[in-house]
Amino acid sequence: DAGVTQSPTHLIKTRGQQVTLRCSPKSGHDTVSWYQQALGQGPQFIFQYYEEEERQRGNFPDRFSGHQFPNYSSELNVNALLLGDSALYLCASSRDAEQFFGPGTRLTVL
Amino acid sequence: TQLLEQSPQFLSIQEGENLTVYCNSSSVFSSLQWYRQEPGEGPVLLVTVVTGGEVKKLKRLTFQFGDARKDSSLHITAAQPGDTGLYLCAGAASNDYKLSFGAGTTVTVRA
């Protein structure tokens, strides 16, 4: 049984560009949450998707958007990238309160 | 600003010693989770505690949830180099779907 998978593993972009990150949840999980983890900090909640709708959103600008597909997989889109968007982006899937994380996508913005 | 405060920030001990990591908040949580994270990887769930005063043991790791469900601790007995990593606590408030994380405690166990 595969756990949470994310792609790509690493990504390098320049300021102003747009990026799409992908996540496949653990089998049996219907909820996907996205977190941003800057170096030396704990993860910060971006938003959560359930039943293809954004159920809750953290304190992130509208440049951050997402989508959930009927098979529960999800995408995170970031527009107009800033240097400060460089971070590890984590996807977590859940069926109840426990959230299980993927390996993350390391985004570097130059 | 982190909703959950973890202490200490860094901990370096010799193999065989014991250690305790603390996680404190002024907020009440319906559940609290502990994760361990290796460099460049995602956090791995160690345990979930939901009842005030609850104590859970996972081999050499002991987790405690405070009576008021505002704080928690992780105690490792006879630490081994394999216990090295970033330990994160994360709380879920009632009527809240997100996890709020502490900044983490970096534990290094020297052989």
Side-chain angles (χ1 to χ4, degrees), chain A residues 14-54:
Chain A
T14 56
R15 281 181 298 174
Q17 285 190 310
Q18 177 265 342
V19 68
T20 297
L21 310 181
R22 294 176 176 83
C23 171
S24 290
K26 189 176 168 69
S27 178
H29 288 184
D30 58 6
T31 303
V32 172
S33 303
W34 287 93
Y35 292 81
Q36 179 196 67
Q37 186 177 24
L39 206 59
Q41 297 183 22
Q44 298 289 322
F45 176 75
I46 302 175
F47 41 53
Q48 185 182 88
Y49 277 84
Y50 173 71
E51 292 188 343
E52 302 179 51
E53 296 285 333
E54 183 183 287

Side-chain angles (χ1 to χ4, degrees), chain A residues 34-110:
Chain A
W34 287 93
Y35 292 81
Q36 179 196 67
Q37 186 177 24
L39 206 59
Q41 297 183 22
Q44 298 289 322
F45 176 75
I46 302 175
F47 41 53
Q48 185 182 88
Y49 277 84
Y50 173 71
E51 292 188 343
E52 302 179 51
E53 296 285 333
E54 183 183 287
R55 178 157 70 173
Q56 186 176 359
R57 187 179 183 91
N59 189 25
F60 279 80
D62 292 344
R63 299 186 296 109
F64 289 78
S65 64
H67 188 79
Q68 186 180 34
F69 300 94
N71 67 353
Y72 307 121
S73 66
S74 177
E75 288 182 349
L76 163 65
N77 301 291
V78 187
N79 294 322
L81 284 167
L82 304 174
L83 295 179
D85 294 331
S86 294
L88 181 67
Y89 287 85
L90 295 164
C91 166
S93 74
S94 56
R95 189 180 56 193
D96 47 36
E98 289 189 332
Q99 297 188 17
F100 295 83
F101 285 82
T105 294
R106 171 68 64 186
L107 173 64
T108 302
V109 182
L110 303 176

Side-chain angles (χ1 to χ4, degrees), chain A residues 35 37 40-45 48 55-56 88 90 97-103, chain B residues 2 31 33 35 37 40-43 45 48 86 88 96-99 101-103:
Chain A
Y35 292 81
Q37 186 177 24
Q41 297 183 22
Q44 298 289 322
F45 176 75
Q48 185 182 88
R55 178 157 70 173
Q56 186 176 359
L88 181 67
L90 295 164
E98 289 189 332
Q99 297 188 17
F100 295 83
F101 285 82
Chain B
Q2 305 284 160
S31 68
Q33 299 170 18
Y35 293 85
Q37 186 176 24
E41 298 181 11
L45 180 64
T48 299
L86 176 68
L88 294 159
D96 199 357
Y97 298 109
K98 72 175 184 290
L99 288 177
F101 279 83

Side-chain angles (χ1 to χ4, degrees), chain A residues 1-19:
Chain A
D1 175 28
V4 180
T5 60
Q6 292 186 242
S7 62
T9 305
H10 296 87
L11 206 50
I12 299 175
K13 292 285 187 178
T14 56
R15 281 181 298 174
Q17 285 190 310
Q18 177 265 342
V19 68

